[in-house]
Amino acid sequence: MEFEVSYSLDNEQQFWDELDDIVSANCESHELIDNALRLYLSFTTKFKPEYLQSETEVKKCSYCLLASPLVAAHREYVRRQFVYCLLQEDDLPTLHLAAAFLRYDGTDGTGEANKNDETFEMMQAEGVFPRLVELIQNHNVQEDTGLHQLLLILLYEMSRIQRLSWEDLTSVDDTFVLYLFQIIEAVSDDANDPYHSHVINVLLVLNEQYMVASTTRANANHPSPTNRVIKALSTHGMTYKTFGSDLILMLNRETETSLQLLILKLFFLLFQSPSTAEYFYTNDLHVLVDVIIRNLLDLPSEDAAAAALRHTYLRVLHPILANSQISRPPHYKRDDINHLLHILATSGSHFAPIDPTTLRLVRRCQTVPWLQPTVSVDSNSDAYIRSNSHSDSEGGVGAPETPTSPSQEKDSAIGNGQRELARRMLGMGVKGAGESTMSIVEVAAHMERPGVQTPSRGRET
């Protein structure tokens, strides 16, 4: 660093008093602002081992600057200087303070709601994403747990509010994704370890970015990038089972709609492909079915957001029923599932008059052969479902052949004509997966602002 600090402090209060003086400087020119920021970084990094040992203290330090007249008068300029610092600096304490400022500048400090999307938009525009991918894999950074977690949080936050560029996505390679899975497996004995949520969130948001890119961006100049999250699980799924168990646990506890959607999108793709359809332990799969049943029944009837989320849950439920090990006897909670689908398909006491999309998706689930009372499925035939499947716009896997309307024939043609798009999105062949591209597009497009809580029938009463 260019700025030397010769302070001698006797106690913690002196540190905070001196920091307050530094950030309260009156700066009218860019040169004076730069000097103040250099002094801030030099002072805080010098005394970081003594007074900024915990993330709570680092957060307090960041808020001292964020609440200062300096930032109030020149916020965009100060923000940009910290972005440049993150891009160019290699000193770990300096990186830590710069990353902390950007994290708390962009969120309210809890990560539950974004206050300043401009922070993460600026980071993306300045090319910070590949830099974060690089730093997260740096061995020295990995030794600094607080910094490493901050970088994971920044990567997640900037990726969930905007579309990443093709260059951003191609900076992620198999090594990076497998490293993230290895972190989860390494701390598998502690489900509450902070790394679990931070790393899983990164994997979830990367999967969503791949989905969106593959349904909207494919062209000759920028072919759709391989979904490296799905690819890793298709080739190394047996090694990284903890991730699947943690996902189900997260969905069971999560009340934020955007995070539920991220989890459901990954489930949707996993149960689409024969190579990942049986990734989950059977007991975990049973828990997942229980969670989906409960959440579908808990969503209030007269709420547009709840209806959209209900559609996503149903789109995920269908490939679970059709392609996972639950499709073989003994069929888990067959009566409960049929009862749920009956409730959703009728205007009974639980729901208002059903919307057409929900009805279509429910009927799609009901076509799964093992839910039919007269259909007997051979428990030794893994290929039964897939060998009897066909694809239409919202039709079912293994649905009986019935006369189709002109609109259904059109939808079927669309689905059959776009299978290559699904292949690109998954990053692997999905022949026989039995799911239409139209459903894939619908699931990929369903998004919600961070911080919005999922509507709940229980919370209405």
Side-chain angles (χ1 to χ4, degrees):
M1 290 179 292
E2 301 176 7
F3 225 84
E4 291 296 330
V5 177
S6 59
Y7 294 97
S8 178
L9 304 178
D10 296 326
N11 54 60
E12 183 178 0
Q13 188 57 49
Q14 286 187 6
F15 170 82
W16 295 110
D17 290 342
E18 190 60 43
L19 179 62
D20 187 61
D21 289 341
I22 292 171
V23 300
S24 299
N26 183 22
C27 303
E28 297 300 331
S29 68
H30 286 175
E31 182 179 0
L32 291 175
I33 297 171
D34 292 344
N35 287 339
L37 295 179
R38 291 191 191 99
L39 183 56
Y40 168 83
L41 287 172
S42 295
F43 179 77
T44 54
T45 55
K46 178 180 177 64
F47 294 104
K48 186 175 182 295
E50 296 177 71
Y51 303 118
L52 300 176
Q53 296 181 6
S54 71
E55 249 349 273
T56 300
E57 292 165 336
V58 172
K59 177 180 176 179
K60 180 180 177 181
C61 178
S62 299
Y63 272 106
C64 284
L65 180 57
L66 284 164
S68 70
L70 174 63
V71 172
H74 310 283
R75 192 180 198 97
E76 183 176 356
Y77 182 81
V78 172
R79 180 185 296 143
R80 192 173 299 278
Q81 295 309 104
F82 276 104
V83 168
Y84 292 158
C85 181
L86 190 63
L87 285 168
Q88 301 168 6
E89 188 59 64
D90 292 319
D91 176 70
L92 297 188
T94 304
L95 281 172
H96 197 149
L97 270 297
F101 175 88
L102 292 170
R103 184 262 175 104
Y104 297 119
D105 180 45
T107 71
D108 66 355
T110 66
E112 293 179 357
N114 292 100
K115 283 186 174 180
N116 300 307
D117 289 354
E118 295 88 351
T119 303
F120 302 117
E121 291 167 355
M122 179 185 290
M123 289 171 62
Q124 202 261 349
E126 294 293 341
V128 170
F129 184 90
R131 172 65 169 166
L132 290 175
V133 171
E134 172 193 340
L135 288 173
I136 288 169
Q137 297 178 92
N138 183 284
H139 292 296
N140 292 328
V141 172
Q142 292 166 15
E143 294 297 319
D144 187 335
T145 303
L147 171 58
H148 198 241
Q149 292 188 26
L150 270 176
L151 297 175
L152 288 167
I153 291 169
L154 282 178
L155 192 147
Y156 168 66
E157 295 290 353
M158 69 177 291
S159 301
R160 73 169 179 162
I161 64 149
Q162 61 194 325
R163 282 180 54 184
L164 299 176
S165 68
W166 184 84
E167 290 76 15
D168 288 337
L169 287 176
T170 54
S171 70
V172 176
D173 58 14
D174 291 336
T175 301
F176 178 73
V177 172
L178 290 174
Y179 165 65
L180 297 181
F181 280 115
Q182 290 162 9
I183 292 176
I184 298 170
E185 208 64 35
V187 293
S188 61
D189 58 337
D190 183 3
N192 294 315
D193 189 289
Y195 270 124
H196 267 82
S197 59
H198 299 323
V199 178
I200 289 174
N201 286 346
V202 169
L203 289 167
L204 290 173
V205 80
L206 285 176
N207 175 71
E208 180 185 57
Q209 289 284 345
Y210 287 128
M211 287 186 74
V212 173
S214 296
T215 56
T216 60
R217 187 186 283 119
N219 59 61
N221 294 326
H222 294 304
S224 296
T226 296
N227 187 330
R228 299 193 182 278
V229 177
I230 300 298
K231 178 183 176 183
L233 291 175
S234 70
T235 55
H236 299 84
M238 295 300 295
T239 304
Y240 303 121
K241 287 285 195 175
T242 299
F243 174 70
S245 299
D246 287 348
L247 277 185
I248 295 171
L249 181 64
M250 285 179 64
L251 184 64
N252 185 42
R253 297 174 174 176
E254 191 53 59
T255 60
E256 184 180 340
T257 303
S258 65
L259 280 171
Q260 285 192 43
L261 288 171
L262 289 178
I263 297 169
L264 291 172
K265 288 175 183 181
L266 185 57
F267 285 159
F268 182 82
L269 294 187
L270 287 176
F271 289 109
Q272 293 288 344
S273 173
S275 61
T276 55
E278 298 188 8
Y279 161 68
F280 295 92
Y281 290 118
T282 300
N283 287 341
D284 287 343
L285 182 62
H286 291 172
V287 174
L288 176 57
V289 171
D290 289 341
V291 171
I292 291 176
I293 292 174
R294 183 200 68 201
N295 289 353
L296 279 170
L297 290 172
D298 186 52
L299 289 171
S301 54
E302 297 179 359
D303 185 294
L309 186 58
R310 184 180 300 115
H311 298 162
T312 301
Y313 268 105
L314 286 169
R315 286 189 170 98
V316 171
L317 179 60
H318 176 259
I320 292 175
L321 300 176
N323 300 333
S324 73
Q325 58 265 42
I326 200 176
S327 65
R328 300 191 297 270
H331 302 300
Y332 182 70
K333 290 201 172 178
R334 171 176 163 176
D335 292 342
D336 295 278
I337 294 169
N338 273 320
H339 181 60
L340 165 72
L341 296 175
H342 174 73
I343 291 175
L344 293 174
T346 61
S347 55
S349 59
H350 286 279
F351 291 94
I354 196 69
D355 67 274
T357 300
T358 295
L359 184 60
R360 184 171 64 248
L361 294 173
V362 166
R363 287 178 175 171
R364 181 186 190 186
C365 291
Q366 290 174 326
T367 62
V368 173
W370 64 268
L371 290 179
Q372 309 304 314
T374 58
V375 174
S376 177
V377 182
D378 183 1
S379 62
N380 296 318
S381 177
D382 293 354
Y384 179 87
I385 298 297
R386 298 184 186 105
S387 66
N388 288 277
S389 66
H390 69 280
S391 179
D392 61 32
S393 65
E394 292 291 357
V397 173
E401 293 188 6
T402 56
T404 58
S405 67
S407 62
Q408 289 174 320
E409 292 176 355
K410 179 181 178 181
D411 286 344
S412 179
I414 293 173
N416 291 332
Q418 296 182 338
R419 294 187 189 208
E420 177 63 15
L421 179 58
R423 185 196 67 78
R424 290 198 306 270
M425 182 189 62
L426 292 174
M428 63 194 77
V430 292
K431 183 178 180 181
E435 206 66 40
S436 71
T437 299
M438 187 170 292
S439 282
I440 293 170
V441 173
E442 290 291 336
V443 173
H446 187 189
M447 297 182 181
E448 183 56 83
R449 288 284 303 172
V452 175
Q453 297 297 296
T454 301
S456 169
R457 185 178 298 276
R459 288 194 292 270
E460 284 183 345
T461 60

